[in-house]
């Protein structure tokens, strides 16, 4: 069961309200995505903690509806 990019983006934005989210469907199959998530909420957090925040926003869908997500996180410049 594939997950639409718009749903991934919506879940992340709901979980991390100030996030800028860019989603790319890597294979065109709705099953393998790359995401760039930028948020001031990541400031001072390790990369692992940042990724955990994104996974929490996805509400347990990783590994189920969402098969693969190549995740990149960042803090906005000047924050």
């Amino acid at each position: 069961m594939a997950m639409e990019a718009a749903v991934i983006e919506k879940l992340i934005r709901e979980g991390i309200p100030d996030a800028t989210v860019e989603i790319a469907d890597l294979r065109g199959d709705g099953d393998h995505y790359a995401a760039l998530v930028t948020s001031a909420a990541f400031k001072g957090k390790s990369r692992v903690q940042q990724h955990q925040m994104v996974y929490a926003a996805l509400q347990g869908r990783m590994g189920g509806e969402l098969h693969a997500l190549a995740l990149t996180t960042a803090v906005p410049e000047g924050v």
Side-chain angles (χ1 to χ4, degrees):
M1 185 178 301
M3 189 172 199
E4 293 183 20
V7 173
I8 298 168
E9 183 175 345
K10 178 181 179 282
L11 289 168
I12 294 171
R13 287 180 191 260
E14 286 174 356
I16 308 170
D18 77 323
T20 300
V21 182
E22 297 175 33
I23 305 286
D25 187 341
L26 298 176
R27 295 188 182 171
D29 61 3
D31 222 19
H32 297 81
Y33 291 99
L36 170 59
V37 182
T38 305
S39 171
F42 295 151
K43 185 176 181 177
K45 295 190 175 23
S46 71
R47 189 75 59 197
V48 170
Q49 290 170 320
Q50 293 173 13
H51 286 209
Q52 288 171 335
M53 290 173 67
V54 175
Y55 295 141
L58 293 171
Q59 303 171 1
R61 289 175 172 89
M62 247 341 276
E65 291 175 66
L66 180 55
H67 176 72
L69 180 67
L71 182 58
T72 303
T73 55
V75 176
E77 289 185 32
V79 173

